[in-house]
Amino acid sequence: MVTWKIKCSTCSLLACRSDHNETRNCSERMMWKYSPDSDPALRIYPVNLGDEGNYTCEIASSAGNFLFFSPLTVIVPPTVTLTCDKSRVAVCQASAGKPAADTSCIPARNHGTKEEVHHPNGTVTRVSYIGWVNSMLPTATCLVTHPATNQT
C-alpha cells in the first residue's frame, strides 16, 4: 500500500492499495506519475502555490514500512514590464514572482530607487525606477533575473 500525504493535512492526497486494486484521490490534479506498483511517484499538474509544503510517502509492504519525505517549493516566474513616463523615468517591474526577481535598469544611476511589494499568496513584485532627464542616452534597459527562467 502506498499513501502520499501533505503535512498539516488530515486527508491523504493519494492512496493506493495494490492488494485491493483501488486508488483514492483528494484532488483531480494529483495522480500517480506511472504506476504505484512500479514507481509510486506523485504527479501534480498543474501545480499551484497552494500545493507547496512537505509531502510524505508511506509504503507498507511485506518487506516492512517505509517513509520518504519530499519538500515541494513552487517557483513562479514574474511578469516583466518596462515603461517610461513623460518625465523620463523608466519603470522596470517584475510582478508576482516567487521568489522575488532581481531588477535593475541601465543606465544605472546612484539616484535610482527600488521598491518591493509582498503579496498575500507569497509572490513578490519588485520595481526599479531610473530617471535620465539630463542624460543624452535615448534608451533604457530593464534587467530582470529569476530562477524560473534561464535568461536575463
Side-chain angles (χ1 to χ4, degrees):
M1 183 170 95
V2 179
T3 305
W4 276 97
K5 294 180 181 180
I6 185 168
K7 188 175 182 182
C8 301
S9 175
T10 57
C11 174
S12 297
L13 294 176
L14 189 62
C16 175
R17 288 190 57 156
S18 55
D19 59 336
H20 293 122
N21 197 24
E22 68 180 39
T23 300
R24 180 172 46 95
N25 289 303
C26 289
S27 169
E28 293 178 2
R29 298 177 303 102
M30 297 183 185
M31 61 201 79
W32 301 111
K33 184 174 180 182
Y34 300 108
S35 162
D37 292 331
S38 62
D39 183 355
L42 178 65
R43 179 177 186 252
I44 304 171
Y45 184 82
V47 71
N48 62 47
L49 284 170
D51 298 324
E52 200 166 71
N54 295 309
Y55 289 77
T56 303
C57 179
E58 300 175 358
I59 300 174
S61 71
S62 58
N65 296 334
F66 305 93
L67 287 177
F68 300 94
F69 303 97
S70 183
L72 174 64
T73 301
V74 178
I75 297 175
V76 180
T79 301
V80 179
T81 57
L82 175 62
T83 57
C84 177
D85 65 18
K86 58 186 171 186
S87 60
R88 291 187 59 129
V89 173
V91 180
C92 177
Q93 182 166 315
S95 301
K98 184 176 181 296
D102 290 324
T103 62
S104 60
C105 290
I106 297 175
R109 299 276 197 263
N110 290 335
H111 58 276
T113 59
K114 291 186 177 189
E115 62 183 48
E116 188 172 280
V117 177
H118 293 264
H119 305 288
N121 67 356
T123 62
V124 179
T125 294
R126 280 205 174 145
V127 185
S128 293
Y129 302 92
I130 186 73
W132 73 102
V133 174
N134 297 325
S135 173
M136 291 297 162
L137 296 171
T139 62
T141 301
C142 175
L143 295 178
V144 177
T145 55
H146 190 270
T149 62
N150 59 359
Q151 61 187 8
T152 298

